[in-house]
Amino acid sequence: MNSQNQTLETIQDIRNMMDRSSRFISLSGLSGIAAGLCALTGAWFAYDVIESADGSGVRRAGLIGESYSTDGVSMLRSFMGSRLFLIAVLTLISAIILAVFFTYIRSKRQGVPVWGSTAKRMIWNIAVPLVAGGLFLLKLIEAGVYGLIAPGCLIFYGIALINGAKYTFGEIRFLGYVITALGVINCWFPGYGLYFWAAGFGVLHIVYGIVMWNKYERQPMQMEKKV
């Protein structure tokens, strides 16, 4: 009986070592929760800016432009200097800082390097769709097609998660599927982009983070306390 238990433990250790070498397992569920809270906070400030800017609400701010602007560069520069762009940048920076912080804390607890080869491959696979999406969104802004900015953010981000999921937890892939689907649906409701954006980047991240924390972090922490 003891020999059988030792064999099972050995197999489990080998499996854990393979997971550590092939997947980035230090991604913290708290990172998802923090990113979701940052997104909801940013959406709240953006809503306030939009409401105070034209007095007609989020729906009018999200309408698709009828045609390409004759002065797209000026429009792009104007958007880059707007409060909405500043809110978006601050939201992104805050989410990244908190994600790195919580992931670093978990990696130290696990004794796994944060910047290993697996992490590099995951970041590269996520970065390619994000960079392509970012350039595409800049062209939409230049063209004045504001109604597709929120759907574009969701679609490209969802694709990035799906693309990088093979190097980390499989649950990331399902999050990517849902966010991508949300972005596609938003294409038919361009006037409600901010609400879809808040649901995708805010609510879904929080739900995902809670599920991941309960599944991968809460139980190990409880076992450590018992030991």
Side-chain angles (χ1 to χ4, degrees):
M1 190 69 179
N2 290 333
S3 176
Q4 184 178 2
N5 290 335
Q6 290 178 353
T7 302
L8 291 175
E9 290 178 359
T10 301
I11 294 174
Q12 184 65 36
D13 290 339
I14 294 173
R15 183 179 178 182
N16 291 335
M17 290 175 63
M18 292 177 64
D19 283 342
R20 286 174 180 266
S21 62
S22 62
R23 296 193 305 165
F24 183 66
I25 59 175
S26 296
L27 196 62
S28 174
L30 295 178
S31 299
I33 297 174
L37 292 175
C38 288
L40 290 179
T41 303
W44 186 82
F45 280 108
Y47 179 87
D48 184 63
V49 170
I50 293 172
E51 283 292 312
S52 62
D54 59 13
S56 58
V58 176
R59 294 194 59 198
R60 180 175 176 182
L63 292 177
I64 299 178
E66 295 181 358
S67 62
Y68 279 77
S69 171
T70 57
D71 192 9
V73 176
S74 297
M75 185 176 293
L76 180 60
R77 289 174 179 172
S78 176
F79 181 81
M80 291 297 188
S82 68
R83 291 180 60 189
L84 287 177
F85 181 75
L86 178 61
I87 291 172
V89 171
L90 291 177
T91 300
L92 177 62
I93 293 175
S94 301
I96 292 175
I97 291 175
L98 290 173
V100 171
F101 172 76
F102 287 118
T103 299
Y104 174 78
I105 294 298
R106 190 181 182 201
S107 66
K108 293 291 289 184
R109 186 182 297 119
Q110 294 177 319
V112 178
V114 178
W115 193 243
S117 59
T118 305
K120 292 178 182 178
R121 288 195 294 268
M122 182 191 72
I123 291 175
W124 174 256
N125 278 266
I126 290 176
V128 172
L130 288 182
V131 172
L135 295 175
F136 179 74
L137 293 175
L138 287 178
K139 187 59 181 178
L140 289 182
I141 295 171
E142 181 182 336
V145 190
Y146 296 108
L148 293 181
I149 294 175
C153 288
L154 292 168
I155 291 172
F156 281 102
Y157 179 69
I159 293 173
L161 293 181
I162 297 170
N163 199 43
K166 55 182 172 289
Y167 295 108
T168 184
F169 298 109
E171 288 82 356
I172 294 281
R173 181 176 290 105
F174 295 103
L175 177 65
Y177 288 147
V178 177
I179 290 180
T180 302
L182 198 65
V184 172
I185 295 172
N186 188 195
C187 291
W188 277 266
F189 301 93
Y192 297 90
L194 184 60
Y195 300 116
F196 278 87
W197 195 91
F201 290 106
V203 177
L204 287 180
H205 268 105
I206 293 174
V207 172
Y208 158 81
I210 292 173
V211 171
M212 295 294 288
W213 187 81
N214 279 312
K215 185 174 182 179
Y216 294 105
E217 298 178 62
R218 182 180 181 182
Q219 294 179 358
M221 289 175 63
Q222 291 177 343
M223 292 178 63
E224 290 177 3
K225 289 180 179 179
K226 290 180 180 179
V227 174

